[in-house]
Protein backbone atom coordinates (compact mmCIF):
# COMPACT_ATOMS: atom_id res chain seq x y z
CA UNK A 1 0.00 0.00 0.00
CA UNK A 2 1.42 3.36 -1.07
CA UNK A 3 2.53 5.98 1.44
CA UNK A 4 2.07 9.60 0.37
CA UNK A 5 4.22 12.32 1.94
CA UNK A 6 2.78 15.83 1.82
CA UNK A 7 5.24 18.71 1.99
CA UNK A 8 3.96 22.08 3.13
CA UNK A 9 5.39 25.52 3.78
CA UNK A 10 4.56 24.95 7.45
CA UNK A 11 2.67 22.24 9.30
CA UNK A 12 1.31 23.18 12.74
CA UNK A 13 0.74 19.86 14.45
CA UNK A 14 -0.79 20.67 17.90
CA UNK A 15 1.63 18.01 19.16
CA UNK A 16 3.76 19.70 21.88
CA UNK A 17 6.62 17.25 21.26
CA UNK A 18 6.81 18.35 17.60
CA UNK A 19 4.78 21.55 17.26
CA UNK A 20 5.98 22.30 13.73
CA UNK A 21 7.18 20.05 10.89
CA UNK A 22 7.58 20.27 7.14
CA UNK A 23 6.30 16.87 6.00
CA UNK A 24 3.54 14.45 6.92
CA UNK A 25 3.28 10.86 5.66
CA UNK A 26 -0.15 9.27 5.14
CA UNK A 27 -1.13 5.70 4.42
CA UNK A 28 -4.73 4.42 4.16
CA UNK A 29 -6.15 7.55 5.78
CA UNK A 30 -3.79 7.46 8.76
CA UNK A 31 -0.75 9.53 9.62
CA UNK A 32 2.32 7.30 9.75
CA UNK A 33 4.92 10.01 10.40
CA UNK A 34 5.27 13.77 10.87
CA UNK A 35 8.75 15.28 10.60
CA UNK A 36 11.33 16.16 8.00
CA UNK A 37 11.81 14.56 4.57
CA UNK A 38 14.08 11.82 5.88
CA UNK A 39 11.87 10.94 8.85
CA UNK A 40 8.77 10.64 6.67
CA UNK A 41 10.48 8.36 4.14
CA UNK A 42 10.92 10.62 1.14
CA UNK A 43 12.99 8.78 -1.46
CA UNK A 44 12.20 5.28 -0.22
CA UNK A 45 10.48 2.64 -2.29
CA UNK A 46 6.68 2.78 -2.00
CA UNK A 47 6.73 6.42 -0.85
CA UNK A 48 5.40 9.18 -3.12
CA UNK A 49 6.10 12.85 -2.49
CA UNK A 50 3.08 15.11 -3.09
CA UNK A 51 3.88 18.82 -3.28
CA UNK A 52 0.42 20.24 -3.99
CA UNK A 53 0.52 21.99 -0.57
CA UNK A 54 4.13 23.14 -0.77
CA UNK A 55 3.10 26.80 -0.66
CA UNK A 56 0.39 26.32 1.97
CA UNK A 57 0.09 25.86 5.72
CA UNK A 58 -1.42 22.66 7.12
CA UNK A 59 -3.21 22.28 10.44
CA UNK A 60 -5.23 19.40 11.83
CA UNK A 61 -8.72 19.39 10.34
CA UNK A 62 -10.84 21.84 12.31
CA UNK A 63 -13.35 20.33 14.75
CA UNK A 64 -16.69 22.12 15.21
CA UNK A 65 -17.93 21.03 18.62
CA UNK A 66 -21.30 22.78 18.50
CA UNK A 67 -23.20 23.20 15.25
CA UNK A 68 -26.36 21.85 13.65
CA UNK A 69 -26.91 20.03 10.38
CA UNK A 70 -29.95 22.24 9.78
CA UNK A 71 -27.38 24.79 8.58
CA UNK A 72 -27.49 22.81 5.33
CA UNK A 73 -31.31 22.74 5.19
CA UNK A 74 -32.23 26.28 6.19
CA UNK A 75 -30.70 27.73 3.04
CA UNK A 76 -33.73 26.45 1.13
CA UNK A 77 -35.59 29.26 2.89
CA UNK A 78 -34.96 33.02 2.79
CA UNK A 79 -32.24 34.29 5.11
CA UNK A 80 -33.43 37.25 7.23
CA UNK A 81 -30.40 37.91 9.43
CA UNK A 82 -28.68 41.21 10.02
CA UNK A 83 -25.18 40.16 8.90
CA UNK A 84 -23.95 39.00 5.50
CA UNK A 85 -23.87 35.20 5.06
CA UNK A 86 -22.74 32.78 2.33
CA UNK A 87 -24.94 29.84 1.30
CA UNK A 88 -23.75 26.32 0.31
CA UNK A 89 -23.62 27.34 -3.36
CA UNK A 90 -21.30 30.25 -2.55
CA UNK A 91 -23.89 33.03 -2.98
CA UNK A 92 -23.54 35.94 -0.56
CA UNK A 93 -26.69 37.21 1.12
CA UNK A 94 -26.55 40.79 2.44
CA UNK A 95 -27.86 41.43 5.93
CA UNK A 96 -31.40 42.73 6.45
CA UNK A 97 -31.06 45.52 9.02
CA UNK A 98 -34.58 46.98 9.14
CA UNK A 99 -38.06 45.53 9.47
CA UNK A 100 -38.84 46.86 6.01
CA UNK A 101 -35.89 44.92 4.55
CA UNK A 102 -36.96 41.72 6.34
CA UNK A 103 -40.52 42.07 5.05
CA UNK A 104 -39.31 42.81 1.52
CA UNK A 105 -37.04 39.74 1.50
CA UNK A 106 -39.95 37.58 2.62
CA UNK A 107 -42.23 39.15 0.00
CA UNK A 108 -39.73 38.27 -2.72
CA UNK A 109 -39.65 34.66 -1.52
CA UNK A 110 -43.45 34.56 -1.21
CA UNK A 111 -43.86 35.70 -4.79
CA UNK A 112 -41.94 32.63 -5.94
CA UNK A 113 -44.21 30.09 -4.21
CA UNK A 114 -46.63 28.41 -6.60
CA UNK A 115 -48.89 26.84 -3.96
CA UNK A 116 -51.03 29.59 -2.37
CA UNK A 117 -51.47 27.54 0.81
CA UNK A 118 -47.84 26.52 1.31
CA UNK A 119 -46.15 28.01 4.37
CA UNK A 120 -43.24 30.44 4.12
CA UNK A 121 -40.37 30.13 6.57
CA UNK A 122 -37.64 32.72 7.05
CA UNK A 123 -34.66 32.37 9.37
CA UNK A 124 -31.80 34.22 11.00
CA UNK A 125 -33.86 37.10 12.40
CA UNK A 126 -32.73 38.96 15.51
CA UNK A 127 -34.63 42.04 16.74
CA UNK A 128 -31.44 43.43 18.28
CA UNK A 129 -30.06 43.70 14.74
CA UNK A 130 -33.30 44.95 13.15
CA UNK A 131 -34.15 48.47 14.33
CA UNK A 132 -33.89 47.10 17.89
CA UNK A 133 -37.63 46.35 17.73
CA UNK A 134 -39.50 43.07 18.03
CA UNK A 135 -41.70 42.03 15.12
CA UNK A 136 -45.42 41.43 15.58
CA UNK A 137 -47.86 39.32 13.64
CA UNK A 138 -49.01 42.52 11.95
CA UNK A 139 -45.52 43.11 10.54
CA UNK A 140 -45.60 39.66 8.93
CA UNK A 141 -49.17 40.14 7.73
CA UNK A 142 -47.61 42.62 5.31
CA UNK A 143 -46.00 39.59 3.63
CA UNK A 144 -49.25 37.63 3.38
CA UNK A 145 -52.60 37.64 5.16
CA UNK A 146 -53.58 34.21 3.83
CA UNK A 147 -50.36 32.19 3.72
CA UNK A 148 -48.81 31.03 7.03
CA UNK A 149 -45.54 32.94 7.51
CA UNK A 150 -43.06 32.15 10.27
CA UNK A 151 -39.55 33.45 10.91
CA UNK A 152 -37.07 31.52 13.04
CA UNK A 153 -34.77 33.72 15.09
CA UNK A 154 -31.01 33.41 14.76
CA UNK A 155 -30.88 31.95 18.27
CA UNK A 156 -33.25 29.12 17.21
CA UNK A 157 -35.15 29.85 20.45
CA UNK A 158 -37.87 32.23 19.20
CA UNK A 159 -40.28 32.29 16.25
CA UNK A 160 -42.36 35.14 14.86
CA UNK A 161 -45.59 34.22 13.09
CA UNK A 162 -48.26 36.06 11.11
CA UNK A 163 -51.99 35.94 11.75
CA UNK A 164 -52.59 33.10 9.29
CA UNK A 165 -49.98 30.90 10.98
CA UNK A 166 -51.40 31.60 14.44
CA UNK A 167 -54.91 30.82 13.19
CA UNK A 168 -53.80 27.50 11.65
CA UNK A 169 -52.16 26.55 14.95
CA UNK A 170 -55.28 27.47 16.91
CA UNK A 171 -53.48 30.19 18.86
CA UNK A 172 -55.29 33.32 17.67
CA UNK A 173 -57.77 33.39 20.53
CA UNK A 174 -58.28 35.03 23.85
CA UNK A 175 -57.26 33.24 27.02
CA UNK A 176 -53.84 31.95 25.89
CA UNK A 177 -51.79 31.67 29.09
CA UNK A 178 -48.23 30.61 28.35
CA UNK A 179 -45.01 32.27 29.58
CA UNK A 180 -43.52 31.96 26.09
CA UNK A 181 -46.48 33.54 24.25
CA UNK A 182 -46.74 37.28 24.99
CA UNK A 183 -50.06 38.96 24.28
CA UNK A 184 -50.78 42.19 22.47
CA UNK A 185 -52.98 45.07 23.62
CA UNK A 186 -55.97 43.25 22.16
CA UNK A 187 -55.43 40.25 24.45
CA UNK A 188 -54.43 38.00 21.53
CA UNK A 189 -50.96 36.51 20.91
CA UNK A 190 -48.71 39.25 19.56
CA UNK A 191 -46.97 36.89 17.16
CA UNK A 192 -43.79 36.04 19.06
CA UNK A 193 -43.37 32.49 20.41
CA UNK A 194 -40.50 32.06 22.86
CA UNK A 195 -38.94 28.67 23.43
CA UNK A 196 -39.48 25.30 21.70
CA UNK A 197 -42.40 24.49 23.99
CA UNK A 198 -44.24 27.49 22.53
CA UNK A 199 -43.22 27.43 18.88
CA UNK A 200 -42.76 23.74 18.01
CA UNK A 201 -46.52 23.00 17.81
CA UNK A 202 -47.03 25.95 15.47
CA UNK A 203 -44.13 25.05 13.16
CA UNK A 204 -45.29 21.45 13.08
CA UNK A 205 -48.89 22.37 12.26
CA UNK A 206 -47.88 24.66 9.41
CA UNK A 207 -45.51 22.01 8.03
CA UNK A 208 -42.05 23.38 8.85
CA UNK A 209 -41.29 21.66 12.16
CA UNK A 210 -37.79 21.25 13.57
CA UNK A 211 -37.66 17.62 12.45
CA UNK A 212 -38.22 18.77 8.86
CA UNK A 213 -35.22 21.08 9.22
CA UNK A 214 -32.95 18.56 10.93
CA UNK A 215 -31.09 17.33 7.88
CA UNK A 216 -32.30 15.11 5.05
CA UNK A 217 -29.77 13.63 2.62
CA UNK A 218 -29.38 16.78 0.52
CA UNK A 219 -29.24 18.92 3.66
CA UNK A 220 -26.42 16.80 5.08
CA UNK A 221 -24.51 17.09 1.82
CA UNK A 222 -24.95 20.88 1.89
CA UNK A 223 -23.71 20.88 5.49
CA UNK A 224 -20.64 18.98 4.33
CA UNK A 225 -19.98 21.55 1.58
CA UNK A 226 -20.20 24.41 4.07
CA UNK A 227 -17.88 22.57 6.45
CA UNK A 228 -15.14 21.63 4.00
CA UNK A 229 -14.99 25.20 2.66
CA UNK A 230 -13.98 26.40 6.14
CA UNK A 231 -11.50 23.62 6.94
CA UNK A 232 -13.91 21.65 9.16
CA UNK A 233 -13.43 17.88 8.89
CA UNK A 234 -15.39 16.86 12.04
CA UNK A 235 -18.62 18.55 13.07
CA UNK A 236 -21.48 17.94 15.44
CA UNK A 237 -25.21 17.94 14.88
CA UNK A 238 -26.03 18.84 18.43
CA UNK A 239 -29.80 18.36 18.49
CA UNK A 240 -30.82 15.27 16.51
CA UNK A 241 -34.16 13.49 16.89
CA UNK A 242 -32.42 10.20 16.04
CA UNK A 243 -35.46 8.51 14.53
CA UNK A 244 -34.91 5.33 12.53
CA UNK A 245 -35.18 7.43 9.37
CA UNK A 246 -32.66 9.99 10.65
CA UNK A 247 -30.19 7.24 11.54
CA UNK A 248 -30.56 5.49 8.19
CA UNK A 249 -30.05 8.77 6.32
CA UNK A 250 -26.94 9.68 8.30
CA UNK A 251 -25.43 6.24 7.82
CA UNK A 252 -26.07 6.37 4.07
CA UNK A 253 -24.78 9.91 3.48
CA UNK A 254 -21.71 9.67 5.72
CA UNK A 255 -20.92 6.39 3.98
CA UNK A 256 -20.68 8.07 0.58
CA UNK A 257 -17.04 8.14 -0.61
CA UNK A 258 -17.22 11.84 -1.46
CA UNK A 259 -18.79 13.00 1.80
CA UNK A 260 -16.08 15.21 3.35
CA UNK A 261 -17.14 15.30 6.98
CA UNK A 262 -17.00 13.16 10.11
CA UNK A 263 -20.38 13.73 11.77
CA UNK A 264 -21.02 13.60 15.54
CA UNK A 265 -24.76 13.93 16.27
CA UNK A 266 -26.22 14.15 19.78
CA UNK A 267 -29.69 12.91 20.58
CA UNK A 268 -32.29 15.53 21.49
CA UNK A 269 -33.08 14.72 25.10
CA UNK A 270 -35.75 17.24 26.07
CA UNK A 271 -39.24 15.77 26.20
CA UNK A 272 -38.25 12.10 26.39
CA UNK A 273 -38.66 9.75 29.37
CA UNK A 274 -35.27 9.26 31.00
CA UNK A 275 -34.95 5.51 30.51
CA UNK A 276 -36.17 5.70 26.90
CA UNK A 277 -33.53 8.32 26.16
CA UNK A 278 -30.76 6.31 27.79
CA UNK A 279 -31.81 3.11 26.01
CA UNK A 280 -31.84 4.92 22.63
CA UNK A 281 -28.38 6.39 23.19
CA UNK A 282 -26.93 3.05 24.23
CA UNK A 283 -28.52 1.28 21.26
CA UNK A 284 -27.39 3.70 18.54
CA UNK A 285 -23.88 3.94 20.02
CA UNK A 286 -23.29 0.44 18.66
CA UNK A 287 -24.02 1.67 15.11
CA UNK A 288 -21.09 4.11 15.03
CA UNK A 289 -18.76 4.16 12.02
CA UNK A 290 -15.56 6.05 11.26
CA UNK A 291 -17.59 8.84 9.66
CA UNK A 292 -20.56 8.79 12.05
CA UNK A 293 -20.03 8.83 15.83
CA UNK A 294 -23.16 8.08 17.84
CA UNK A 295 -24.32 7.83 21.43
CA UNK A 296 -24.07 11.36 22.87
CA UNK A 297 -27.07 13.14 24.42
CA UNK A 298 -27.99 16.84 24.22
CA UNK A 299 -30.10 18.66 26.82
CA UNK A 300 -31.27 22.27 26.61
CA UNK A 301 -31.65 23.86 30.03
CA UNK A 302 -32.58 27.44 29.10
CA UNK A 303 -32.93 29.84 26.20
CA UNK A 304 -30.77 32.59 24.70
CA UNK A 305 -29.34 35.70 26.32
CA UNK A 306 -30.03 37.93 23.32
CA UNK A 307 -33.60 36.61 23.21
CA UNK A 308 -34.03 37.28 26.95
CA UNK A 309 -34.98 33.63 27.51
CA UNK A 310 -31.77 32.48 29.25
CA UNK A 311 -31.90 31.88 33.01
CA UNK A 312 -29.77 34.44 34.83
CA UNK A 313 -28.84 34.62 38.48
CA UNK A 314 -29.47 37.85 40.37
CA UNK A 315 -29.56 40.67 39.43
CA UNK A 316 -31.09 39.24 36.22
CA UNK A 317 -31.20 41.20 32.98
CA UNK A 318 -29.43 44.54 32.95
CA UNK A 319 -32.38 46.39 31.37
CA UNK A 320 -34.92 44.92 33.79
CA UNK A 321 -36.41 42.40 31.35
CA UNK A 322 -38.25 39.49 32.98
CA UNK A 323 -36.40 36.31 33.93
CA UNK A 324 -35.88 33.76 31.16
CA UNK A 325 -37.35 30.29 30.71
CA UNK A 326 -36.49 26.83 31.96
CA UNK A 327 -36.71 24.36 29.08
CA UNK A 328 -36.67 21.32 31.36
CA UNK A 329 -37.57 20.24 34.88
CA UNK A 330 -34.52 20.15 37.19
CA UNK A 331 -35.49 16.74 38.60
CA UNK A 332 -35.75 15.29 35.07
CA UNK A 333 -32.30 16.68 34.23
CA UNK A 334 -30.89 15.10 37.37
CA UNK A 335 -32.39 11.78 36.30
CA UNK A 336 -30.69 11.99 32.90
CA UNK A 337 -27.33 12.84 34.47
CA UNK A 338 -27.60 9.97 36.94
CA UNK A 339 -28.56 7.43 34.28
CA UNK A 340 -25.96 8.67 31.76
CA UNK A 341 -23.20 8.42 34.38
CA UNK A 342 -24.37 4.92 35.21
CA UNK A 343 -24.36 3.79 31.58
CA UNK A 344 -21.22 5.62 30.44
CA UNK A 345 -22.98 8.03 28.06
CA UNK A 346 -21.75 11.56 27.44
CA UNK A 347 -24.15 14.48 27.92
CA UNK A 348 -23.88 17.94 26.36
CA UNK A 349 -26.04 20.56 28.10
CA UNK A 350 -26.98 23.96 26.70
CA UNK A 351 -26.57 26.50 29.52
CA UNK A 352 -26.51 30.10 28.34
CA UNK A 353 -27.35 31.78 31.63
CA UNK A 354 -25.34 31.35 34.82
CA UNK A 355 -28.37 30.05 36.71
CA UNK A 356 -28.65 27.23 34.15
CA UNK A 357 -24.91 26.60 34.48
CA UNK A 358 -25.30 26.34 38.25
CA UNK A 359 -28.05 23.74 37.83
CA UNK A 360 -25.85 21.66 35.51
CA UNK A 361 -22.92 21.81 37.92
CA UNK A 362 -25.13 20.76 40.83
CA UNK A 363 -26.60 17.87 38.83
CA UNK A 364 -23.11 16.71 37.85
CA UNK A 365 -21.89 16.76 41.44
CA UNK A 366 -24.83 14.70 42.68
CA UNK A 367 -24.56 12.23 39.79
CA UNK A 368 -20.84 11.69 40.41
CA UNK A 369 -21.48 10.86 44.05
CA UNK A 370 -23.88 8.12 42.97
CA UNK A 371 -22.02 6.87 39.89
CA UNK A 372 -18.33 7.93 39.94
CA UNK A 373 -16.94 8.21 36.41
CA UNK A 374 -13.70 10.20 36.10
CA UNK A 375 -13.79 10.21 32.28
CA UNK A 376 -17.36 11.44 31.78
CA UNK A 377 -16.38 14.71 30.03
CA UNK A 378 -19.89 16.14 30.24
CA UNK A 379 -19.85 19.43 28.33
CA UNK A 380 -21.61 22.68 29.20
CA UNK A 381 -22.39 24.18 25.82
CA UNK A 382 -22.26 27.99 25.51
CA UNK A 383 -21.72 28.39 29.28
CA UNK A 384 -21.44 32.09 28.52
CA UNK A 385 -21.80 33.70 31.93
CA UNK A 386 -19.89 31.23 34.12
CA UNK A 387 -17.89 33.08 36.76
CA UNK A 388 -14.59 31.94 38.28
CA UNK A 389 -16.29 30.21 41.21
CA UNK A 390 -18.35 28.11 38.80
CA UNK A 391 -15.29 27.39 36.67
CA UNK A 392 -13.41 26.12 39.74
CA UNK A 393 -16.27 23.71 40.52
CA UNK A 394 -16.37 22.60 36.88
CA UNK A 395 -12.65 21.83 36.94
CA UNK A 396 -12.97 19.76 40.11
CA UNK A 397 -15.88 17.79 38.65
CA UNK A 398 -14.29 17.12 35.25
CA UNK A 399 -16.79 19.24 33.31
CA UNK A 400 -15.77 20.70 29.95
CA UNK A 401 -16.88 24.06 28.55
CA UNK A 402 -17.61 24.98 24.94
CA UNK A 403 -17.79 28.77 24.81
CA UNK A 404 -19.75 30.78 22.25
CA UNK A 405 -17.04 33.34 21.49
CA UNK A 406 -18.86 34.64 18.38
CA UNK A 407 -21.25 36.44 20.71
CA UNK A 408 -18.61 39.12 21.27
CA UNK A 409 -18.90 40.20 17.65
CA UNK A 410 -22.55 39.56 16.83
CA UNK A 411 -24.23 40.56 20.11
CA UNK A 412 -21.48 42.10 22.22
CA UNK A 413 -22.72 45.67 21.88
CA UNK A 414 -26.22 44.64 22.93
CA UNK A 415 -24.89 42.57 25.83
CA UNK A 416 -22.87 45.56 27.03
CA UNK A 417 -25.79 48.00 26.79
CA UNK A 418 -28.92 45.90 27.36
CA UNK A 419 -28.84 42.23 28.26
CA UNK A 420 -26.20 41.77 30.98
CA UNK A 421 -24.42 45.13 31.28
CA UNK A 422 -20.75 46.09 31.01
CA UNK A 423 -19.29 44.03 33.87
CA UNK A 424 -20.81 40.68 32.94
CA UNK A 425 -20.40 41.33 29.21
CA UNK A 426 -16.65 41.74 29.73
CA UNK A 427 -16.35 38.29 31.34
CA UNK A 428 -18.64 36.43 28.95
CA UNK A 429 -17.17 33.30 27.36
CA UNK A 430 -14.19 33.27 29.75
CA UNK A 431 -11.65 31.25 27.76
CA UNK A 432 -8.62 32.60 29.60
CA UNK A 433 -10.09 32.03 33.06
CA UNK A 434 -11.17 28.51 32.13
CA UNK A 435 -7.65 27.67 31.04
CA UNK A 436 -6.12 29.18 34.17
CA UNK A 437 -8.49 27.21 36.40
CA UNK A 438 -8.06 23.86 34.63
CA UNK A 439 -11.36 23.52 32.75
CA UNK A 440 -10.97 21.72 29.38
CA UNK A 441 -12.51 24.14 26.89
CA UNK A 442 -13.18 24.89 23.25
CA UNK A 443 -15.11 27.45 21.18
CA UNK A 444 -17.82 27.14 18.55
CA UNK A 445 -20.09 28.81 15.99
CA UNK A 446 -23.44 27.13 16.82
CA UNK A 447 -24.17 27.28 13.07
CA UNK A 448 -26.70 28.25 11.79
CA UNK A 449 -26.91 30.73 14.70
CA UNK A 450 -23.65 32.25 13.42
CA UNK A 451 -21.75 31.17 10.30
CA UNK A 452 -19.72 27.99 10.30
CA UNK A 453 -16.08 29.07 10.34
CA UNK A 454 -13.56 28.12 13.04
CA UNK A 455 -11.01 30.80 12.14
CA UNK A 456 -13.67 33.47 12.68
CA UNK A 457 -14.60 31.81 15.99
CA UNK A 458 -10.92 31.90 16.93
CA UNK A 459 -10.65 35.55 15.84
CA UNK A 460 -13.55 36.40 18.17
CA UNK A 461 -11.86 34.71 21.15
CA UNK A 462 -8.49 36.28 20.43
CA UNK A 463 -9.68 39.84 19.79
CA UNK A 464 -13.05 40.03 21.63
CA UNK A 465 -14.19 42.85 19.36
CA UNK A 466 -17.84 43.77 18.89
CA UNK A 467 -19.36 44.78 15.56
CA UNK A 468 -18.84 48.43 16.56
CA UNK A 469 -15.16 47.81 17.41
CA UNK A 470 -15.49 47.79 21.21
CA UNK A 471 -12.96 45.57 23.01
CA UNK A 472 -15.14 43.47 25.31
CA UNK A 473 -13.03 42.03 28.11
CA UNK A 474 -9.32 42.54 27.57
CA UNK A 475 -8.46 40.22 30.47
CA UNK A 476 -10.22 37.25 28.81
CA UNK A 477 -8.37 37.51 25.49
CA UNK A 478 -6.28 34.48 24.52
CA UNK A 479 -3.22 34.03 22.27
CA UNK A 480 -3.68 32.80 18.71
CA UNK A 481 -1.94 29.53 19.55
CA UNK A 482 -4.50 28.80 22.27
CA UNK A 483 -7.36 29.56 19.89
CA UNK A 484 -5.92 27.19 17.26
CA UNK A 485 -5.62 24.48 19.89
CA UNK A 486 -9.27 25.11 20.86
CA UNK A 487 -10.61 24.54 17.33
CA UNK A 488 -8.55 21.37 16.84
CA UNK A 489 -7.42 19.27 19.78
CA UNK A 490 -9.51 21.17 22.33
CA UNK A 491 -12.76 20.47 20.49
CA UNK A 492 -11.71 16.87 19.82
CA UNK A 493 -11.24 16.39 23.58
CA UNK A 494 -14.78 17.54 24.33
CA UNK A 495 -16.08 14.96 21.82
CA UNK A 496 -13.87 12.20 23.24
CA UNK A 497 -12.05 11.98 19.92
CA UNK A 498 -8.68 13.39 20.97
CA UNK A 499 -7.09 9.94 20.71
CA UNK A 500 -7.97 9.85 17.00
CA UNK A 501 -7.85 13.39 15.66
CA UNK A 502 -7.20 17.02 16.52
CA UNK A 503 -3.42 16.87 16.04
CA UNK A 504 -1.00 15.77 13.33
CA UNK A 505 0.93 12.87 14.78
CA UNK A 506 1.59 9.21 14.11
CA UNK A 507 -1.46 6.99 14.29
CA UNK A 508 -4.13 9.69 14.00
CA UNK A 509 -6.62 10.31 11.21
CA UNK A 510 -5.21 12.18 8.23
CA UNK A 511 -7.62 15.10 8.47
CA UNK A 512 -6.10 18.43 7.45
CA UNK A 513 -7.14 22.04 7.10
CA UNK A 514 -5.26 23.77 4.28
CA UNK A 515 -4.63 27.50 4.66
CA UNK A 516 -3.19 30.14 2.33
CA UNK A 517 -1.76 32.20 5.19
CA UNK A 518 0.05 31.28 8.38
CA UNK A 519 -2.27 32.00 11.32
CA UNK A 520 0.72 32.40 13.66
CA UNK A 521 2.38 34.94 11.34
CA UNK A 522 -0.48 37.28 10.43
CA UNK A 523 -1.50 40.00 12.91
CA UNK A 524 -4.16 38.65 15.35
CA UNK A 525 -6.76 41.06 14.01
CA UNK A 526 -6.41 39.38 10.60
CA UNK A 527 -6.87 35.83 11.89
Amino acid sequence: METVVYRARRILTMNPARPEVGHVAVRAGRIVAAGDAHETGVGRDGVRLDERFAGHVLLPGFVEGHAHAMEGVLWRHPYCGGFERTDPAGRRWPGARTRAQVVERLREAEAGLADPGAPLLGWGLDPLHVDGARLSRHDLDAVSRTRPVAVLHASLHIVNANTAALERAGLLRAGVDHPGIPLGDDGLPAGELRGPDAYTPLLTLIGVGRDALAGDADGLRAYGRLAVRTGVTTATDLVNAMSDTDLATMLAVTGEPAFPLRLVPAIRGNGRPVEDLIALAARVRERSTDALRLGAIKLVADGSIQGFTARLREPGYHDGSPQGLWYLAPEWMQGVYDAAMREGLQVHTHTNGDQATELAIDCTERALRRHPWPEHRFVLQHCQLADRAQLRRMARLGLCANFFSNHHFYWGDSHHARTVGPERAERMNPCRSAGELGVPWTIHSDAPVTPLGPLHVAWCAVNRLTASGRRLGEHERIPVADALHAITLGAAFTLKLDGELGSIECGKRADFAVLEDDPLAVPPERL
Side-chain angles (χ1 to χ4, degrees):
M1 186 176 295
E2 184 182 53
T3 296
V4 179
V5 175
Y6 297 98
R7 182 172 75 87
R9 174 160 56 102
R10 192 178 189 188
I11 301 175
L12 303 176
T13 68
M14 303 302 144
N15 175 6
R18 287 192 169 194
E20 181 180 344
V21 297
H23 299 71
V24 56
V26 175
R27 184 169 61 241
R30 294 271 187 175
I31 297 166
V32 295
D36 60 25
H38 174 72
E39 291 170 324
T40 53
V42 173
R44 297 179 196 164
D45 291 341
V47 176
R48 176 170 60 87
L49 178 64
D50 189 320
E51 297 203 302
R52 76 182 76 180
F53 304 129
H56 297 77
V57 176
L58 295 188
L59 276 80
F62 296 144
V63 181
E64 173 51 85
H66 187 142
H68 304 274
M70 72 168 65
E71 165 82 346
V73 178
L74 281 173
W75 284 106
R76 300 171 191 168
H77 308 279
Y79 169 65
C80 300
F83 291 84
E84 182 181 281
R85 294 281 287 263
T86 302
D87 67 20
R91 174 189 172 187
R92 292 188 175 185
W93 291 66
R97 302 294 294 195
T98 67
R99 281 183 288 183
Q101 289 174 345
V102 171
V103 168
E104 181 57 30
R105 184 160 296 177
L106 291 167
R107 278 177 170 164
E108 291 173 1
E110 197 270 342
L113 295 177
D115 182 351
L120 173 64
L121 177 70
W123 67 281
L125 176 71
D126 194 297
L128 295 177
H129 300 153
V130 181
D131 301 335
R134 309 187 84 86
L135 272 68
S136 72
R137 61 185 170 92
H138 304 295
D139 291 311
L140 295 182
D141 285 345
V143 178
S144 176
R145 292 183 175 274
T146 58
R147 182 191 306 278
V149 178
V151 184
L152 186 63
H153 281 218
S155 68
L156 308 181
H157 289 273
I158 299 174
V159 166
N160 282 97
N162 71 343
T163 298
L166 292 168
E167 287 176 337
R168 185 175 293 191
L171 288 174
L172 198 67
R173 54 182 173 81
V176 173
D177 183 15
H178 189 291
I181 305 179
L183 305 179
D185 294 338
D186 57 3
L188 300 176
E192 188 169 275
L193 308 173
R194 303 174 184 173
D197 185 50
Y199 70 67
T200 298
L202 178 137
L203 292 184
T204 301
L205 284 167
I206 69 172
V208 288
R210 284 286 292 263
D211 288 351
L213 301 175
D216 54 24
D218 286 341
L220 288 173
R221 295 183 188 108
Y223 188 44
R225 288 195 295 274
L226 287 163
V228 76
R229 187 184 300 145
T230 61
V232 173
T233 56
T234 297
T236 52
D237 178 21
L238 222 52
V239 178
N240 191 291
M242 203 61 68
S243 68
D244 291 344
T245 299
D246 295 330
L247 179 56
T249 300
M250 288 187 291
L251 285 167
V253 173
T254 59
E256 294 171 354
F259 190 68
L261 189 63
R262 182 174 291 102
L263 188 64
V264 187
I267 301 169
R268 182 178 65 207
N270 289 47
R272 299 178 191 259
V274 171
E275 292 306 323
D276 290 355
L277 172 62
I278 298 301
L280 175 61
R283 184 170 68 252
V284 301
R285 178 171 55 183
E286 304 306 315
R287 304 288 303 278
S288 292
T289 67
D290 174 39
L292 181 65
R293 303 306 176 89
L294 301 162
I297 293 168
K298 169 72 179 296
L299 308 183
V300 181
D302 67 341
S304 72
I305 298 171
Q306 71 274 23
F308 299 91
T309 54
R311 295 290 303 194
L312 272 57
R313 296 185 297 184
E314 292 294 337
Y317 285 96
H318 182 65
D319 67 357
S321 292
Q323 176 62 289
L325 303 173
W326 285 118
Y327 284 6
L328 45 70
E331 58 272 16
W332 176 85
M333 181 170 162
Q334 184 67 65
V336 174
Y337 273 42
D338 289 346
M341 288 281 186
R342 183 190 70 219
E343 298 299 327
L345 296 165
Q346 189 185 29
V347 177
H348 299 260
T349 305
H350 163 121
T351 67
N352 258 317
D354 48 3
Q355 190 179 66
T357 292
E358 190 78 6
L359 173 63
I361 295 171
D362 289 344
C363 286
T364 303
E365 186 169 21
R366 287 190 287 264
L368 283 170
R369 288 175 186 160
R370 296 161 185 160
H371 308 286
W373 182 23
E375 269 293 292
H376 63 85
R377 298 195 208 177
F378 281 20
V379 185
L380 301 192
Q381 296 286 346
H382 307 323
C383 197
Q384 294 203 69
L385 289 176
D387 62 18
R388 290 180 71 90
Q390 289 179 322
L391 292 171
R392 289 188 193 97
R393 290 186 66 200
M394 291 171 62
R396 289 196 300 269
L397 296 170
L399 281 164
C400 305
N402 191 352
F403 297 118
F404 199 171
S405 61
N406 282 12
H407 260 255
H408 304 309
F409 178 74
Y410 290 99
W411 290 282
D413 290 316
S414 295
H415 291 325
H416 186 274
R418 291 189 57 186
T419 66
V420 298
E423 182 179 348
R424 285 178 290 178
E426 288 176 358
R427 67 166 168 81
M428 289 181 78
N429 303 297
C431 297
R432 180 175 175 180
S433 292
E436 290 175 349
L437 296 170
V439 177
W441 62 274
T442 184
I443 47 182
H444 66 273
S445 69
D446 197 12
V449 177
T450 68
L452 194 66
L455 287 173
H456 176 61
V457 175
W459 176 89
C460 289
V462 167
N463 295 285
R464 295 182 68 96
L465 290 172
T466 70
S468 71
R470 181 195 300 273
R471 183 87 70 188
L472 201 61
E474 177 73 31
H475 64 291
E476 288 293 353
R477 293 179 66 191
I478 57 172
V480 171
D482 289 0
L484 296 178
H485 181 276
I487 60 176
T488 53
L489 196 55
F493 183 89
T494 67
L495 299 179
K496 293 194 167 187
L497 294 175
D498 53 305
E500 297 183 54
L501 49 93
S503 61
I504 298 175
E505 53 185 308
C506 182
K508 289 199 171 184
R509 308 279 176 178
D511 298 348
F512 306 124
V514 184
L515 306 184
E516 292 287 342
D517 297 316
D518 183 346
L520 292 180
V522 300
E525 61 271 17
R526 286 187 52 214
L527 182 59

